[in-house]
Amino acid sequence: MPDPQDEARSPSAVAPLPTREPVRTRRWLRIALPIVLAAAIGAVWLDAHNRDRQLRLDVAQHLAQLEVTDKVTQETVKVAQDNLRDAQAKIALLENRLAESQTQQAALEALYRELAPSRDEWALTEVEQVLLLASQQLQIAGNVSGALAALQVADAKLQRLDRPQFVPLRRAIGRDMDRLKAVPFVDVPGLSLRLDQAIAAVDSLPLALEERLPVPTPDAPPKDESASRRFLREAWQELRQLVRIENLDRPEAPLLTPPQQFFLRENLKLRLLAARFDLLFRDQANFRADLSSADLWLKKCFDTRSKQVQSLQTLLKELRATDMSIELPGLAGSLDAVRVLQLQREKRMR
């Protein structure tokens, strides 16, 4: 029979059996935990290693790209430096040439200032020459239109310069222009042209002794006229042509030889030419006297029944009626004004 003490100890002896499983679990945990931890550390280390490797690859690629870029940049910088040196050399050459041209320009300007007068001086000189020309046209030829045109040219030149010191001169020129515009117009060029036409027509004017009656036309001979009657008729016609009877209603014209006829026409031309010069000089007394002499020669030595002679006499009569007794104004005001300006400039230059 079992001992009660054994029975009493048996539960205690059997009781530790349930506690072996936690111990085993703890043992497994003690073994698995380092393994898991080691695996996790290995995984982390492997991931970090992969990342580091990838980072190194990326850095290596970037470094390679940077090296290529650096080489390209160095080449570009080298080319740019070469271009810069070339540009600097060209700029230096251009600067030297520019300095030389500026020196030459300064020398030319200094020479021009020494040798040439100023623009205003040139303008005053030109205006004075134009005014002198206009004054000569008035005094010698009485050409009012030419003098007025010259004054307008001088005023236009002063207007382009637009200098305040030229205002008195322009005012004087304006007054002279107004006086010239008030002068009655005489068409001297037109009258001169008509005289030239008259001179050209002198050679074709018929003389008084060159008057001719119309040549009689012979009568038509009869168809049955005999030879003797035809001979008598022709002899009578020739006899009629030898004799001319004319009634003269004016003094008999002088008989002139061919040389005298030539000198007569030339003298008439000279008289008309003298009248033309009188017209240019506005000498009305001599102009009318020469025209009257020419008209007297026409009446005395030329055929006044000719239309050419009559038209020339009408022209001479119209020309004698031309009034040229006009007092032309002078240009003293404009000339004095331009000379005063020149004197003022000379004083300032001194």
Side-chain angles (χ1 to χ4, degrees):
M1 294 183 66
D3 189 3
Q5 294 180 351
D6 295 332
E7 291 178 359
R9 289 194 297 264
S10 62
S12 61
V14 178
L17 291 174
T19 61
R20 291 180 179 177
E21 293 181 359
V23 171
R24 292 178 180 177
T25 303
R26 285 195 297 271
R27 287 179 180 176
W28 282 109
L29 288 176
R30 290 176 181 173
I31 297 172
L33 185 61
I35 294 173
V36 172
L37 183 60
I41 292 172
V44 171
W45 178 83
L46 183 62
D47 182 65
H49 179 72
N50 291 333
R51 289 183 180 180
D52 183 62
R53 181 180 179 184
Q54 185 67 31
L55 181 61
R56 289 182 179 181
L57 291 175
D58 293 339
V59 171
Q61 291 178 356
H62 285 298
L63 289 175
Q65 293 178 357
L66 289 176
E67 288 179 356
V68 173
T69 305
D70 183 56
K71 291 181 180 180
V72 173
T73 304
Q74 289 179 356
E75 293 178 356
T76 305
V77 170
K78 184 178 180 181
V79 173
Q81 289 177 349
D82 294 338
N83 294 333
L84 179 62
R85 283 193 296 270
D86 294 340
Q88 289 176 348
K90 292 180 180 179
I91 291 173
L93 180 61
L94 291 176
E95 288 178 350
N96 294 331
R97 292 182 178 179
L98 179 60
E100 292 177 358
S101 63
Q102 288 177 349
T103 304
Q104 294 176 358
Q105 183 178 1
L108 289 175
E109 290 178 355
L111 182 61
Y112 178 78
R113 285 193 297 269
E114 292 178 358
L115 299 179
S118 65
R119 184 181 179 186
D120 294 345
E121 291 177 355
W122 274 112
L124 287 177
T125 303
E126 291 179 1
V127 169
E128 184 181 12
Q129 295 298 322
V130 171
L131 294 177
L132 289 174
L133 179 61
S135 180
Q136 292 174 359
Q137 288 289 322
L138 283 176
Q139 294 175 2
I140 298 175
N143 189 357
V144 178
S145 60
L148 183 59
L151 291 179
Q152 290 174 350
V153 169
D155 184 68
K157 186 172 186 60
L158 294 175
Q159 183 180 4
R160 288 193 299 270
L161 291 175
D162 193 16
R163 298 287 192 274
Q165 61 269 24
F166 293 157
V167 173
L169 176 57
R170 291 192 62 191
R171 190 179 296 115
I173 292 176
R175 287 194 296 266
D176 289 337
M177 290 172 60
D178 293 336
R179 283 195 292 267
L180 290 178
K181 291 178 181 178
V183 174
F185 176 72
V186 178
D187 189 10
V188 175
L191 297 177
S192 299
L193 181 60
R194 298 181 69 183
L195 281 174
D196 290 338
Q197 294 174 354
I199 293 172
V202 170
D203 290 332
S204 61
L205 296 178
L207 295 173
L209 293 179
E210 292 178 349
E211 299 174 4
R212 294 289 184 268
L213 295 177
V215 179
T217 57
D219 298 332
K223 295 181 180 180
D224 54 351
E225 185 180 15
S226 63
S228 59
R229 291 182 64 86
R230 185 171 60 252
F231 174 74
L232 292 175
R233 183 178 53 80
E234 292 177 355
W236 174 248
Q237 288 179 355
E238 292 178 359
L239 182 63
R240 287 176 59 186
Q241 292 179 1
L242 294 177
V243 179
R244 186 181 69 178
I245 301 174
E246 181 181 358
N247 293 325
L248 297 177
D249 55 355
R250 60 179 181 174
E252 184 178 358
L255 182 61
L256 301 176
T257 61
Q260 290 175 339
Q261 294 177 10
F262 172 76
F263 286 113
L264 173 63
R265 296 180 188 277
E266 294 300 319
N267 288 331
L268 180 58
K269 292 180 183 179
L270 290 176
R271 186 64 65 179
L272 294 176
L273 187 60
R276 187 174 182 275
F277 280 106
D278 296 334
L279 174 65
L280 295 178
F281 289 102
R282 293 181 180 268
D283 188 356
Q284 184 166 353
N286 291 326
F287 178 70
R288 290 180 175 177
D290 290 329
L291 293 179
S292 298
S293 299
D295 185 61
L296 182 61
W297 287 1
L298 288 175
K299 292 178 181 179
K300 183 178 179 181
C301 302
F302 290 86
D303 183 10
T304 56
R305 288 178 293 184
S306 172
K307 291 184 178 180
Q308 293 179 344
V309 177
Q310 291 176 359
S311 62
L312 183 55
Q313 287 179 326
T314 303
L315 174 60
L316 297 181
K317 183 178 179 180
E318 293 176 356
L319 293 177
R320 285 199 304 270
T322 303
D323 186 12
M324 296 184 295
S325 58
I326 302 171
E327 184 178 357
L328 297 177
L331 303 180
S334 299
L335 290 172
D336 292 341
V338 70
R339 286 164 183 166
V340 167
L341 285 177
Q342 287 182 341
L343 291 175
Q344 291 177 354
R345 293 187 62 85
E346 290 178 359
K347 290 180 180 179
R348 286 197 298 268
M349 292 296 293
R350 293 175 183 175

